Amino acid sequence: DAEITQSPRHKITETGRQVTLACHQTWNHNNMFWYRQDLGHGLRLIHYSYGVHDTNKGEVSDGYSVSRSNTEDLPLTLESAASSQTSVYFCASNGGFSYNEQFFGPGTRLTVL
Amino acid sequence: GDSVTQMEGPVTLSEEAFLTINCTYTATGYPSLFWYVQYPGEGLQLLLKATKADDKGSNKGFEATYRKETTSFHLEKGSVQVSDSAVYFCALNHKGNQGGKLIFGQGTELSVKP
């Protein structure tokens, strides 16, 4: 069965370190998204991609970057982790039509000490 | 810009009670509307959707009707169960929006007691 996976599921790191969160989907979807989830803010879009070599900034992109070298993967990098980036991160994908649902991964809980 | 507003939680109900979670939106044109559910420790999954005015989405006993005149998409269930305890998110996107980028409300936590 097609799926979307994230790794690691839990990560503890220190301020200033570079961290990369992996997202891998086997739906063959063109579109992939990264969100962060914080109490009181719901889900906020960090970056998204509409295809290989395409990346776009979302509403909270500062301090994050992504790259899309193939259809299946969209890794999220925190260049220099900050305590404000402690959050739960979700990756999602969809097939492109606006009425199509997004499929979500199980999430990565990141703690920056 | 586009936005989604949900009623604040947490909402606490007894089993078999009636549930309403309010959702209103601000958007130009005719967006598609969604309800997602997040069970503890899991990612979000689609609960139901509606793509045009007066459409009713339904799934697992939940319903929501796309009301353009009131820009609302309220979630209802006639008799909740303990297993419905979760966080519920209302979301929208535009038919003209390439890639289906979603805008979410802040989420409403539901707790159902036996």
Side-chain angles (χ1 to χ4, degrees):
Chain A
D1 286 348
E3 60 178 356
I4 180 166
T5 57
Q6 294 183 236
S7 62
R9 295 294 312 277
H10 301 272
K11 175 79 176 176
I12 300 175
T13 190
E14 295 177 342
T15 301
R17 291 191 179 266
Q18 184 181 79
V19 176
T20 296
L21 309 182
C23 174
H24 179 80
Q25 53 98 2
T26 59
W27 294 97
N28 200 34
H29 285 156
N30 284 329
N31 309 314
M32 298 183 72
F33 309 85
W34 273 105
Y35 298 91
R36 60 177 289 174
Q37 183 179 25
D38 305 287
L39 269 176
H41 291 281
L43 273 78
R44 292 182 291 176
L45 185 63
I46 305 171
H47 282 286
Y48 57 102
S49 168
Y50 290 152
V52 176
H53 302 311
D54 176 75
T55 62
N56 305 279
K57 294 182 178 181
E59 62 178 300
V60 290
S61 60
D62 287 349
Y64 303 94
S65 64
V66 294
S67 62
R68 187 90 179 271
S69 58
N70 58 50
T71 300
E72 296 79 19
D73 298 290
L74 186 70
L76 177 71
T77 298
L78 287 68
E79 303 292 345
S80 176
S83 58
S84 60
Q85 294 177 308
T86 293
S87 186
V88 181
Y89 292 85
F90 288 99
C91 180
S93 70
N94 81 349
F97 293 104
S98 62
Y99 49 84
N100 279 2
E101 66 179 289
Q102 286 188 12
F103 294 84
F104 281 78
T108 295
R109 182 174 295 276
L110 176 68
T111 302
V112 182
L113 301 176
Chain B
D2 298 344
S3 65
V4 175
T5 302
Q6 295 179 229
M7 64 186 286
E8 287 193 22
V11 173
T12 303
L13 296 173
S14 298
E15 207 165 22
E16 299 184 2
F18 185 85
L19 168 71
T20 299
I21 299 178
N22 290 337
C23 171
T24 58
Y25 67 89
T26 301
T28 55
Y30 300 88
S32 297
L33 301 173
F34 304 82
W35 276 102
Y36 281 81
V37 59
Q38 183 182 30
Y39 298 104
E42 298 183 9
L44 279 72
Q45 54 186 278
L46 181 69
L47 181 59
L48 53 84
K49 66 183 179 186
T51 58
K52 61 183 187 296
D54 300 324
D55 266 2
K56 176 184 284 188
S58 62
N59 186 24
K60 299 181 180 179
F62 291 89
E63 293 183 340
T65 301
Y66 188 163
R67 302 285 189 200
K68 182 163 175 58
E69 63 275 13
T70 55
T71 61
S72 65
F73 193 54
H74 304 321
L75 182 68
E76 296 182 337
K77 187 175 185 182
S79 176
V80 294
Q81 305 301 310
V82 172
S83 57
D84 293 327
S85 298
V87 181
Y88 292 82
F89 292 92
C90 187
L92 69 80
N93 70 8
H94 278 292
K95 292 181 175 61
N97 181 6
Q98 177 194 3
K101 186 157 56 92
L102 290 172
I103 295 170
F104 286 91
Q106 69 270 38
T108 302
E109 181 181 0
L110 171 65
S111 177
V112 181
K113 306 298 185 186

